[in-house]
Amino acid sequence: MFFVDTLEFEGLGNRSYLAGGPDAAVVVDPPRDIDQVIAAAARRGVRIAYVAETHLHNDYISGGLELARTTGARYLVPSEASVSFERTPVADGDSIAVDEGLLLRAMVTPGHTPHHTSYVLEEDGRPVAAFTGGSLLIGSVGRPDLVEPRLTERLARAQHASAHRLADTLDDDVRVLPTHGFGSFCSSSQAEGVTTTIGVERKNNDALTMDADTFVAEMLAGLDDVPAYYAHMGPANASGPAPVDLTPPRAADAEEISSRLAAGEWVVDLRNRVAFAEGHVAGSFNFEGEGKLATYLAWLIPWGKPVTLLASTPEQITAAQRELVRVGIDRPAAAAVGDAHAWVREGERPASFPRARFVDLAEVRGRGEQVVVLDVRRDSERADGYVEGSVHIPVHELHGRLSEVPAGRVWVHCAGGMRAAIAASLLDATGRDVVAVDDAFTAAGEAGLTLTGPRATS
């Protein structure tokens, strides 16, 4: 009997897979921190014989090269992918014997990238699962605009054709095991569900229910913002990522934290947004360790800028290091554990700002107070409705557009509170008077605020 173990990385919205038989296994699209993959194989008692990439990833740095070197596995990479390291090139139709009676067959499925390749797992000659990477996802497909703008429409059409090739080749009961699509910005749209099959996708996936022209038009119209750090991931994967160092960073005291801030470096507080608002080092930024830390910190930070991490516990620092190496933020310059009072110099006090809900904003506006309402959601979210009179700057653009925020007290909101906390910390660091709205946007209308757009009439 074969097995498939799923390794889930919620912060990036991705999955990796360990699949095999009694003795040997293949790892598909591994994370950069490979120790957990090796541990998963050890628990199964299997040898990692192969490491397979579906494509050169744009949203994270792969651990495939290092995993292959460490375990002695053959490293399977699509033959059309241009890389600068030794690997086993895989072409359409190539088959690899993973274990007795267990075969991995390559199926070229361009669209997410020009060289994208899916892998079909066959047991005794019968397809049982398809590792579809960024091709066929749950209710969606991988976005086609991450490689080169001039290729976007061509790749969108290729995605449609690739989805149909998978559906036409495989039976309804074959499991579909994508890498992207669980909150990843590599997905062209977000869908419900955590498991699927070819049969389910045949009924529900737009790529399989729409004609090519309609599908391409709707996909291109719905593409969202691309995280800035994606520009660095593909080249890093093509050149061959270096091994990671997950040992604890050097400890920083209050004087060093102050010096790093004065030098223009980033000091990132990983605590939850409630604790940060109540007290933090002036000038530090709040990226919750429990949120999408890697995505939003990598998106906002100037690439290569040194970062010092602050957290309540050593475990939070360790978890953050794992998240960050996956997106190329390899070593924190320093770290400190404790609370804000331990991180400020003697004689200084932690900074703070208030939190509120939409009902509080409605009361303030009802009294006629003039305040700035800053909406930091993405363009696609704002298109569904927004608070009348609000200023719109997406959080990933805010650091470079702080001068555009009007004078006055700023009430900043997003869709749920996490991004508002990031934005509030950016504003607070410049000395602005800020209130972080920690509330679901659905509460804005219920609070009596006037909304503009579709939500105003829904």
Side-chain angles (χ1 to χ4, degrees):
M1 287 291 292
F2 76 96
F3 72 87
V4 177
D5 289 342
T6 301
L7 288 76
E8 190 157 3
F9 305 99
E10 187 176 349
L12 292 176
N14 288 327
R15 290 178 176 178
S16 300
Y17 300 95
L18 174 73
D23 301 313
V26 59
V27 178
V28 181
D29 290 344
R32 194 175 182 201
D33 46 327
I34 62 172
D35 56 325
Q36 59 192 308
V37 181
I38 294 172
R43 288 192 294 271
R44 281 284 185 180
V46 295
R47 172 176 60 91
I48 297 176
Y50 300 94
V51 178
E53 300 284 6
T54 57
H55 60 295
L56 294 183
H57 301 281
N58 292 292
D59 63 328
Y60 73 94
I61 294 181
S62 171
L65 181 61
E66 183 61 17
L67 182 59
R69 287 172 174 168
T70 300
T71 62
R74 287 175 61 190
Y75 191 23
L76 311 178
V77 178
S79 59
E80 295 302 313
S82 179
V83 298
S84 57
F85 49 82
E86 291 296 320
R87 86 291 193 200
T88 299
V90 178
D92 190 49
D94 285 354
S95 59
I96 300 97
V98 177
D99 206 337
E100 185 175 353
L102 202 61
L103 202 68
L104 195 69
R105 192 178 303 280
M107 182 185 296
V108 172
T109 50
H112 186 49
T113 67
H115 61 265
H116 190 283
T117 299
S118 298
Y119 297 92
V120 178
L121 188 67
E122 299 179 358
E123 183 183 41
D124 298 328
R126 182 177 67 88
V128 291
F131 301 101
T132 54
S135 185
L136 189 65
L137 311 184
I138 299 178
S140 185
V141 294
R143 58 193 297 171
D145 60 328
L146 302 180
V147 177
E148 160 61 51
R150 290 170 296 180
L151 297 178
T152 297
E153 183 173 352
R154 186 190 313 171
L155 289 177
R157 291 188 179 279
Q159 272 293 45
H160 186 269
S162 291
H164 278 266
R165 185 184 184 196
L166 287 162
D168 292 344
T169 304
L170 304 174
D171 292 338
D172 282 353
D173 62 349
V174 173
R175 294 169 62 189
V176 175
L177 303 171
T179 299
H180 304 312
F182 308 94
S184 168
F185 281 88
C186 271
S187 177
S188 61
S189 64
Q190 299 305 320
E192 299 287 333
V194 293
T195 62
T196 193
T197 63
I198 288 291
V200 170
E201 293 309 304
R202 201 189 307 277
K203 296 176 181 178
N204 300 323
N205 197 305
D206 286 348
L208 298 173
T209 60
M210 292 180 176
D211 65 82
D213 289 342
T214 303
F215 170 77
V216 169
E218 293 202 4
M219 175 196 274
L220 297 184
L223 291 174
D224 212 331
D225 300 319
V226 178
Y229 73 91
Y230 276 25
H232 303 281
M233 301 296 98
N237 285 321
S239 63
V244 299
D245 178 3
L246 292 174
T247 58
R250 60 185 301 276
D253 60 14
E255 286 293 337
E256 181 175 348
I257 292 169
S258 178
S259 295
R260 290 190 176 278
L261 282 168
E265 297 181 12
W266 277 38
V267 174
V268 172
D269 192 325
L270 302 168
R271 295 175 302 154
N272 68 68
R273 55 186 181 264
V274 177
F276 183 88
E278 290 176 349
H280 55 269
V281 178
S284 63
F285 302 139
N286 183 211
F287 291 82
E288 291 181 308
E290 297 299 318
K292 283 188 170 291
L293 168 66
T295 295
Y296 282 102
L297 178 54
W299 198 341
L300 271 70
I301 193 171
W303 199 249
K305 177 80 72 173
V307 60
T308 294
L309 300 178
L310 309 179
S312 299
T313 67
E315 290 76 18
Q316 289 177 324
I317 298 291
T318 299
Q321 283 183 262
R322 283 191 178 274
E323 287 281 318
L324 296 179
V325 297
R326 294 170 189 157
V327 292
I329 302 177
D330 284 8
R331 287 292 295 170
V337 173
D339 61 33
H341 293 280
W343 302 330
V344 297
R345 294 178 298 184
E346 187 174 354
E348 296 180 351
R349 295 174 59 84
S352 63
F353 54 75
R355 296 163 51 249
R357 305 183 75 82
F358 279 111
V359 67
D360 302 310
L361 176 58
E363 290 178 3
V364 167
R365 277 191 157 186
R367 294 195 298 266
E369 293 185 32
Q370 297 300 309
V371 298
V372 178
V373 179
L374 177 63
D375 180 350
V376 296
R377 297 174 300 157
R378 297 187 301 277
D379 291 344
S380 59
E381 296 171 284
R382 186 169 172 89
D384 286 337
Y386 54 90
V387 176
E388 188 175 70
S390 60
V391 176
H392 180 227
I393 303 176
V395 68
H396 58 273
E397 299 178 8
L398 182 59
H399 190 249
R401 298 176 59 186
L402 289 167
S403 62
E404 297 178 30
V405 181
R409 187 171 225 202
V410 183
W411 288 62
V412 57
H413 80 84
C414 60
M418 180 192 73
R419 287 172 292 171
I422 296 172
S425 71
L426 296 175
L427 290 161
D428 176 76
T430 67
R432 293 297 301 268
D433 183 8
V434 63
V435 178
V437 178
D438 194 355
D439 205 355
F441 186 69
T442 52
E446 298 168 2
L449 291 166
T450 302
L451 302 184
T452 300
R455 287 186 184 270
T457 56
S458 60

